[in-house]
């Protein structure tokens, strides 16, 4: 028994909206980074759902590339957050506007 693609799209929209809400309302850099990850995972759900719907593996391959992109984004993001914490002793993204050369 297969799950209809509509349910995957509803789940993906809910996860994406949760990530978007997190980006728009949070000031903590770690929560901001987690919200971006939620949005990327919502895109992965869509890619895999449509890949299953059309019966090819293209969406799954793109989802794997997106996961690799997300891993690189987390590595760079954690580095930026560590520098932010080291300089300001806080991970508030509003303080990052004062980081100048």
């Amino acid at each position: 028994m297969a799950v209809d693609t509509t349910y995957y799209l509803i789940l993906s929209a809910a996860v994406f909206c949760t990530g978007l809400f997190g980006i728009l309302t949070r000031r903590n850099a770690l929560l901001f980074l987690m919200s971006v990850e939620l949005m990327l995972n919502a895109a992965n759900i869509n890619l895999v759902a449509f890949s299953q719907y059309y019966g090819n593996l293209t969406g799954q391959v793109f989802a794997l590339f997106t996961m690799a992109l997300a891993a690189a984004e987390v590595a760079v993001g954690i580095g930026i957050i560590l520098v932010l914490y080291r300089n300001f002793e806080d991970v508030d993204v509003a303080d990052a506007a004062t980081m100048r050369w």
Side-chain angles (χ1 to χ4, degrees):
M1 182 159 95
V3 178
D4 191 28
T5 308
T6 307
Y7 295 112
Y8 290 118
L9 297 179
I10 292 170
L11 173 68
S12 176
V15 171
F16 188 85
C17 288
T18 304
L20 185 64
F21 179 76
I23 284 179
L24 294 176
T25 60
R26 302 293 180 188
R27 294 175 57 142
N28 189 340
L30 287 173
L31 293 176
F32 187 82
L33 192 62
M34 288 172 49
S35 298
V36 170
E37 290 297 319
L38 279 174
M39 293 173 71
L40 285 173
N41 284 331
N44 283 340
I45 292 171
N46 272 337
L47 288 170
V48 172
F50 282 117
S51 173
Q52 184 264 339
Y53 180 74
Y54 288 115
N56 59 13
L57 296 177
T58 307
Q60 294 176 11
V61 171
F62 277 117
L64 285 174
F65 284 128
T66 307
M67 286 181 203
L69 175 75
E73 177 252 334
V74 165
V76 172
I78 293 293
I80 291 171
I81 290 170
L82 287 175
V83 169
L84 186 67
Y85 182 75
R86 188 180 303 149
N87 288 339
F88 297 106
E89 297 176 356
D90 192 20
V91 288
D92 189 12
V93 291
D95 292 339
T98 61
M99 290 179 70
R100 303 280 186 239
W101 290 96

